[in-house]
Coordinates of all heavy atoms in Angstrom, one line a residue:
G733 N 0.5 27.9 -14.6 CA 0.8 29.2 -14.0 C 2.0 29.2 -13.1 O 2.4 28.1 -12.6
I734 N 2.4 30.4 -12.7 CA 3.5 30.5 -11.8 C 3.0 30.7 -10.4 O 2.0 31.4 -10.1 CB 4.4 31.7 -12.2 CG1 5.0 31.4 -13.6 CG2 5.6 31.9 -11.2 CD1 5.8 32.6 -14.2
I735 N 3.7 30.0 -9.4 CA 3.3 30.2 -8.0 C 4.1 31.3 -7.4 O 5.3 31.4 -7.5 CB 3.6 28.9 -7.2 CG1 2.9 27.7 -7.7 CG2 3.3 29.1 -5.7 CD1 1.4 27.8 -7.7
F736 N 3.3 32.3 -6.9 CA 3.9 33.5 -6.1 C 3.3 33.3 -4.7 O 2.2 32.8 -4.5 CB 3.5 34.8 -6.7 CG 4.1 35.0 -8.1 CD1 3.4 34.9 -9.2 CD2 5.5 35.3 -8.2 CE1 3.9 35.1 -10.5 CE2 6.1 35.5 -9.4 CZ 5.3 35.4 -10.6
N737 N 4.0 33.8 -3.7 CA 3.6 33.8 -2.4 C 3.3 35.2 -1.8 O 3.9 36.2 -2.2 CB 4.6 33.1 -1.4 CG 4.7 31.7 -1.6 OD1 3.7 30.9 -1.8 ND2 5.9 31.1 -1.7
K738 N 2.3 35.3 -0.9 CA 2.0 36.5 -0.3 C 2.1 36.2 1.2 O 1.8 35.1 1.7 CB 0.7 37.1 -0.7 CG -0.5 36.1 -0.6 CD -1.8 36.8 -1.2 CE -2.9 35.8 -1.0 NZ -4.2 36.4 -1.6
P739 N 2.4 37.2 2.0 CA 2.5 37.0 3.5 C 1.1 36.8 4.2 O 0.2 37.6 3.8 CB 3.2 38.3 4.0 CG 2.9 39.3 3.0 CD 2.7 38.6 1.7
G740 N 1.0 35.8 5.0 CA -0.2 35.7 5.8 C -0.2 36.4 7.1 O 0.8 37.1 7.5
P741 N -1.3 36.4 7.8 CA -1.4 37.3 9.1 C -0.4 36.8 10.1 O 0.0 37.6 10.9 CB -2.8 37.0 9.6 CG -3.3 35.7 8.8 CD -2.6 35.7 7.6
D742 N 0.0 35.5 10.1 CA 1.0 35.1 11.1 C 2.4 34.9 10.5 O 3.2 34.2 11.1 CB 0.5 33.8 11.7 CG -0.8 33.9 12.4 OD1 -1.0 34.9 13.1 OD2 -1.7 33.0 12.3
G743 N 2.6 35.5 9.4 CA 4.0 35.4 8.8 C 4.1 34.2 7.9 O 5.2 34.1 7.2
Q744 N 3.1 33.3 7.8 CA 3.3 32.1 7.0 C 3.1 32.6 5.5 O 2.5 33.6 5.3 CB 2.2 31.1 7.3 CG 0.8 31.3 6.9 CD 0.0 32.2 7.8 OE1 0.6 32.9 8.6 NE2 -1.3 32.1 7.7
L745 N 3.5 31.8 4.6 CA 3.5 32.1 3.2 C 2.1 31.5 2.6 O 1.8 30.4 2.9 CB 4.6 31.5 2.4 CG 6.0 32.1 2.8 CD1 7.1 31.4 2.0 CD2 6.1 33.6 2.6
I746 N 1.4 32.3 1.9 CA 0.1 31.9 1.3 C 0.4 31.8 -0.2 O 0.6 32.9 -0.8 CB -1.0 32.8 1.7 CG1 -1.2 32.8 3.2 CG2 -2.3 32.3 1.0 CD1 -2.3 33.8 3.7
P747 N 0.3 30.7 -0.8 CA 0.6 30.6 -2.3 C -0.6 31.0 -3.1 O -1.8 30.8 -2.7 CB 1.0 29.1 -2.5 CG 0.2 28.4 -1.4 CD 0.1 29.3 -0.3
Q748 N -0.3 31.5 -4.3 CA -1.4 31.8 -5.3 C -0.7 31.4 -6.6 O 0.5 31.5 -6.9 CB -1.9 33.2 -5.3 CG -0.8 34.2 -5.7 CD -1.4 35.7 -5.9 OE1 -0.9 36.4 -6.6 NE2 -2.5 36.0 -5.2
Q749 N -1.6 30.9 -7.5 CA -1.2 30.6 -8.9 C -1.7 31.7 -9.8 O -2.8 32.1 -9.7 CB -1.7 29.2 -9.3 CG -1.1 28.8 -10.7 CD -1.8 27.7 -11.4 OE1 -3.1 27.8 -11.4 NE2 -1.1 26.8 -12.0
R750 N -0.7 32.1 -10.7 CA -1.1 33.1 -11.7 C -0.9 32.5 -13.1 O 0.2 32.3 -13.5 CB -0.2 34.4 -11.5 CG -0.5 35.3 -10.4 CD 0.1 36.6 -10.6 NE -0.1 37.5 -9.5 CZ -0.1 38.8 -9.5 NH1 0.1 39.4 -10.7 NH2 -0.3 39.6 -8.5
P751 N -2.0 32.3 -13.8 CA -1.9 32.0 -15.2 C -1.2 33.2 -16.0 O -1.4 34.3 -15.6 CB -3.3 31.8 -15.7 CG -4.1 31.6 -14.5 CD -3.4 32.4 -13.4
R752 N -0.4 32.8 -17.0 CA 0.4 33.9 -17.7 C -0.5 34.5 -18.8 O -0.5 35.7 -19.0 CB 1.7 33.4 -18.2 CG 2.6 32.8 -17.0 CD 3.6 31.9 -17.5 NE 3.0 30.7 -18.3 CZ 3.7 29.8 -18.9 NH1 5.1 29.9 -19.0 NH2 3.2 28.8 -19.5
T753 N -1.1 33.6 -19.5 CA -1.9 34.0 -20.7 C -3.2 33.2 -20.7 O -3.3 32.2 -19.9 CB -1.2 33.8 -22.1 OG1 -1.1 32.4 -22.3 CG2 0.2 34.5 -22.0
G754 N -4.1 33.5 -21.6 CA -5.3 32.7 -21.7 C -5.0 31.2 -22.1 O -5.8 30.4 -21.8
N755 N -3.9 31.0 -22.8 CA -3.6 29.6 -23.2 C -3.2 28.8 -22.0 O -3.1 27.5 -22.1 CB -2.4 29.7 -24.2 CG -2.8 30.3 -25.5 OD1 -4.0 30.2 -25.9 ND2 -1.9 30.9 -26.2
D756 N -3.0 29.4 -20.8 CA -2.6 28.6 -19.6 C -3.8 28.0 -19.0 O -3.7 27.2 -18.1 CB -1.9 29.5 -18.6 CG -0.5 29.7 -18.9 OD1 0.1 28.9 -19.7 OD2 0.2 30.5 -18.3
V757 N -5.0 28.4 -19.5 CA -6.3 27.7 -19.0 C -6.8 26.8 -20.1 O -7.3 27.3 -21.1 CB -7.3 28.8 -18.6 CG1 -8.6 28.2 -18.1 CG2 -6.7 29.8 -17.6
V758 N -6.6 25.5 -19.9 CA -7.0 24.5 -20.9 C -8.2 23.8 -20.4 O -8.3 23.0 -19.5 CB -5.9 23.5 -21.0 CG1 -6.2 22.4 -22.1 CG2 -4.6 24.1 -21.4
V759 N -9.4 24.1 -21.1 CA -10.7 23.6 -20.7 C -10.7 22.1 -21.0 O -10.4 21.7 -22.1 CB -11.8 24.3 -21.4 CG1 -13.2 23.8 -21.1 CG2 -11.7 25.9 -21.1
L760 N -11.1 21.4 -20.0 CA -11.2 19.9 -20.2 C -12.6 19.4 -20.5 O -12.8 18.7 -21.5 CB -10.8 19.2 -18.9 CG -9.3 19.4 -18.5 CD1 -9.0 18.6 -17.2 CD2 -8.4 18.8 -19.6
S761 N -13.6 19.9 -19.8 CA -15.0 19.4 -20.1 C -16.0 20.3 -19.4 O -15.7 20.9 -18.4 CB -15.2 18.0 -19.5 OG -16.5 17.5 -19.7
S762 N -17.1 20.4 -20.0 CA -18.3 21.1 -19.3 C -19.3 20.0 -18.9 O -20.4 20.4 -18.3 CB -18.9 22.1 -20.2 OG -19.4 21.5 -21.4
E763 N -19.0 18.8 -19.2 CA -20.0 17.7 -18.8 C -19.8 17.2 -17.4 O -18.6 17.0 -16.9 CB -19.8 16.5 -19.8 CG -20.8 15.4 -19.5 CD -20.5 14.2 -20.4 OE1 -19.7 14.3 -21.3 OE2 -21.2 13.2 -20.3
I764 N -20.8 17.1 -16.6 CA -20.7 16.7 -15.2 C -21.2 15.3 -15.1 O -22.4 14.9 -15.5 CB -21.6 17.6 -14.3 CG1 -21.1 19.1 -14.3 CG2 -21.6 17.1 -12.9 CD1 -21.9 20.0 -13.6

Side-chain angles (χ1 to χ4, degrees):
I734 299 175
I735 300 297
F736 295 104
N737 288 318
K738 55 185 179 180
D742 298 320
Q744 77 276 23
L745 299 176
I746 300 176
Q748 66 171 207
Q749 188 197 40
R750 288 198 183 206
R752 301 160 302 174
T753 69
N755 292 332
D756 278 346
V757 180
V758 181
V759 178
L760 296 177
S761 175
S762 59
E763 180 182 359
I764 299 175

